C-alpha cells in the first residue's frame, strides 16, 4: 500500500486546505524561483540598512585592545592560535567561510563582555570549540558531533556535556544574538558595482573571500567595520585584474552611503602590508667558504715542495675544481 506525500504530512499542516500545497500550483500562487527579480534600489536600501546596523555586532576596538594589554586578559598570540585552529577545522570539514567568521565574531564578542577564569590553556580552547560549534549549527547543513569537531591538533579533548555548558554560557553572554553582519554580506553588491556585466564577479567575490579569511587572525582589522573590510578586499581583488587596476577607494566610497574613503584607504593599506609580511621569502643561498691561495704562496710552495708534493699538486687542484663545479651546479 503506497502512502502519498500529502498523507504523511497531513498532521503537520494548519487548518488551510492542504491540497493546495501539494498541487502543481494555482493561478493565485506566485511561482517559486531561485532567481529573484529584485530591483537595484531595493538592494541598495538593504545594503544601507546593513551598514546602519553593522556596528551592533562589533566589539569596540579600543576597549577590546586594552584587554589584550591587561594582565588578566587574553593576549594576541593566544587569540591568533585559536583563530588558526578554527580555520584549520573549517578547511578540514569544508565549512562555509561565514562559519569561520561567525566563530571568531562570537569569540571576540564573548571575551569583550566576559572574562574566563583562566585566559590561556584549556578555557580558551573550550571557548573556541563552543563558538565553532554554534556557528556551524547556524550556517552548516551538516554538523559533526562535538567529539568529531575536535580535530586538527586540538590540544585538549572535552566531553560533549562540557562543550554544551560552554555553548549556553556563550549564548547568554551574546544575548542569543547569533546572526551577525559580516563582510561577506557586501561582497556580491560591491563586485556588481565594479563589474555590472558580471563577467568577473565570481573571481572578485572568491578572491575577496580568501583575503578576508587570511586577515581574520590580525587584531588590527577589528578597528574596521565589515562594510569597510568588504570594500577594501574587493579593491584588492579588482587590482589583480588589468581591467580594474585603476579602481580606487574614491570609487568605492560612491558605492553606497555609509562608506568612508579614508577608512577604506587605511584598511586597504593594512591588507597590502599584511600580505607583504606574510609572503614567504626565499632563504639566501649560502656558499661554502673556500680557501683562496695567493700567487706568492703558490710560488713559495712550488719552490719548497719536494717531488712527492709536486706530484700531488694536480690532485689538489682537481679536488678544488670539482668542489667549485658542484657549487655552481647547485
Amino acid at each position: 500500500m503506497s502512502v502519498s506525500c500529502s498523507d504523511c504530512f497531513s498532521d503537520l499542516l494548519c487548518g488551510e486546505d492542504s491540497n493546495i500545497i501539494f498541487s502543481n500550483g494555482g493561478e493565485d500562487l506566485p511561482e517559486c524561483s531561485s532567481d529573484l527579480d529584485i530591483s537595484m534600489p531595493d538592494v541598495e536600501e538593504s545594503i544601507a540598512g546593513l551598514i546602519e546596523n553593522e556596528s551592533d555586532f562589533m566589539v569596540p576596538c579600543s576597549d577590546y585592545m586594552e584587554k589584550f594589554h591587561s594582565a588578566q586578559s587574553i593576549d594576541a598570540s593566544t587569540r591568533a592560535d585559536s583563530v588558526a585552529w578554527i580555520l584549520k577545522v573549517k578547511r578540514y570539514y569544508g565549512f562555509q567561510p561565514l562559519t569561520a567568521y561567525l566563530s571568531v565574531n562570537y569569540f571576540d564578542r564573548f571575551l569583550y563582555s566576559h572574562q574566563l577564569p583562566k585566559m590561556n590553556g584549556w578555557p580558551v580552547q573550550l571557548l573556541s570549540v563552543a563558538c565553532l560549534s554554534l556557528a556551524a549549527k547556524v550556517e552548516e547543513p551538516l554538523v559533526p558531533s562535538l567529539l568529531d569537531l575536535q580535530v586538527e591538533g586540538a590540544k585538549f579533548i572535552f566531553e560533549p556535556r562540557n562543550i554544551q555548558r560552554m555553548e549556553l554560557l556563550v549564548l547568554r553572554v551574546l544575548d542569543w544574538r547569533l546572526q551577525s553582519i559580516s563582510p561577506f554580506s557586501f561582497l556580491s553588491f560591491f563586485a556588481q558595482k565594479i563589474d555590472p556585466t558580471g563577467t568577473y564577479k565570481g573571481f572578485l567575490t572568491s578572491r575577496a573571500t580568501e583575503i578576508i579569511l587570511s586577515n581574520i587572525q590580525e587584531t588590527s582589522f577589528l578597528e574596521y567595520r565589515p562594510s569597510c573590510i568588504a570594500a577594501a578586499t574587493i579593491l584588492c581583488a579588482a587590482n589583480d585584474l588589468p581591467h580594474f587596476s585603476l579602481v580606487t577607494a574614491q570609487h568605492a566610497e560612491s558605492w553606497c552611503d555609509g562608506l568612508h574613503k579614508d577608512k577604506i584607504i587605511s584598511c586597504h593599506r593594512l591588507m597590502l602590508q599584511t600580505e607583504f609580511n606574510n609572503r614567504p621569502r626565499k632563504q639566501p643561498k649560502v656558499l661554502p667558504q673556500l680557501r683562496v691561495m695567493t700567487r706568492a704562496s703558490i710560488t713559495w710552495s712550488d719552490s719548497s715542495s719536494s717531488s712527492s708534493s709536486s706530484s700531488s699538486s694536480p690532485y689538489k687542484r682537481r679536488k678544488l675544481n670539482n668542489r667549485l663545479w658542484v657549487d655552481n651546479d647547485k
Side-chain angles (χ1 to χ4, degrees):
M1 178 180 178
S2 62
V3 181
S4 66
C5 184
S6 59
D7 292 335
C8 294
F9 296 100
S10 59
D11 295 337
L12 303 179
L13 299 175
C14 301
E16 293 84 358
D17 185 5
S18 62
N19 292 328
I20 194 173
I21 297 177
F22 298 101
S23 64
N24 292 330
E27 295 181 356
D28 297 334
L29 292 179
E31 182 181 359
C32 289
S33 174
S34 59
D35 298 328
L36 300 180
D37 184 17
I38 303 177
S39 61
M40 185 57 69
D42 293 337
V43 175
E44 292 182 351
E45 183 178 353
S46 299
I47 293 297
L50 293 176
I51 293 178
E52 183 179 356
N53 298 321
E54 62 183 347
S55 60
D56 295 339
F57 301 93
M58 297 173 55
V59 295
C61 180
S62 57
D63 296 343
Y64 191 42
M65 295 305 294
E66 288 181 4
K67 291 179 177 289
F68 278 91
H69 301 290
S70 172
Q72 302 298 324
S73 184
I74 187 174
D75 58 23
S77 62
T78 302
R79 178 189 181 273
D81 291 341
S82 297
V83 177
W85 177 81
I86 290 174
L87 291 175
K88 287 192 290 185
V89 178
K90 179 262 178 193
R91 290 190 292 267
Y92 182 87
Y93 283 111
F95 288 159
Q96 300 293 325
L98 183 56
T99 301
Y101 181 89
L102 288 179
S103 304
V104 180
N105 180 264
Y106 300 162
F107 185 91
D108 289 328
R109 287 165 57 195
F110 178 90
L111 288 181
Y112 174 75
S113 304
H114 187 87
Q115 182 174 325
L116 292 174
K118 185 180 179 182
M119 299 306 288
N120 54 33
W122 67 264
V124 177
Q125 167 127 20
L126 179 58
L127 174 62
S128 303
V129 175
C131 290
L132 179 57
S133 175
L134 290 173
K137 292 173 182 177
V138 172
E139 290 298 325
E140 300 298 329
L142 295 176
V143 181
S145 67
L146 293 176
L147 285 176
D148 291 337
L149 199 62
Q150 302 177 75
V151 293
E152 289 297 299
K155 297 179 181 179
F156 306 92
I157 302 298
F158 304 100
E159 296 182 0
R161 58 188 179 91
N162 292 330
I163 300 175
Q164 291 170 347
R165 290 173 58 187
M166 190 66 189
E167 287 179 342
L168 289 175
L169 177 59
V170 172
L171 288 171
R172 287 197 296 267
V173 171
L174 300 185
D175 198 22
W176 295 77
R177 294 167 48 191
L178 298 184
Q179 292 293 343
S180 181
I181 299 175
S182 73
F184 306 114
S185 306
F186 305 93
L187 293 184
S188 181
F189 177 76
F190 291 163
Q192 187 73 23
K193 286 291 186 178
I194 290 182
D195 180 25
T197 64
T199 305
Y200 301 96
K201 183 177 179 180
F203 170 82
L204 292 173
T205 55
S206 177
R207 176 67 181 132
T209 298
E210 294 177 1
I211 297 173
I212 292 171
L213 292 181
S214 65
N215 292 324
I216 200 172
Q217 291 179 252
E218 301 292 334
T219 55
S220 302
F221 287 97
L222 294 173
E223 176 185 350
Y224 301 98
R225 294 191 174 196
S227 59
C228 180
I229 294 176
T233 52
I234 285 291
L235 280 182
C236 289
N239 294 153
D240 290 341
L241 297 173
H243 304 74
F244 310 111
S245 58
L246 299 181
V247 178
T248 64
Q250 187 171 1
H251 297 100
E253 188 179 34
S254 65
W255 293 344
C256 187
D257 294 336
L259 295 177
H260 301 285
K261 178 182 64 176
D262 295 339
K263 280 290 186 181
I264 297 174
I265 292 175
S266 175
C267 186
H268 183 255
R269 287 176 177 172
L270 180 60
M271 288 179 181
L272 296 179
Q273 182 64 41
T274 303
E275 181 183 8
F276 177 80
N277 293 337
N278 295 335
R279 185 179 303 167
R281 292 178 173 83
K282 293 183 179 180
Q283 294 295 332
K285 186 176 180 179
V286 180
L287 297 176
Q289 292 184 355
L290 301 177
R291 183 180 178 182
V292 180
M293 299 179 65
T294 62
R295 182 178 299 273
S297 63
I298 295 176
T299 304
W300 177 86
S301 177
D302 291 341
S303 62
S304 62
S305 62
S306 62
S307 59
S308 60
S309 62
S310 62
S311 63
S312 63
S313 177
Y315 169 75
K316 291 183 178 179
R317 285 198 295 271
R318 285 197 301 269
K319 185 176 180 182
L320 181 60
N321 290 336
N322 289 340
R323 179 65 177 274
L324 286 173
W325 180 82
V326 173
D327 292 331
N328 289 336
D329 184 61
K330 289 182 181 179

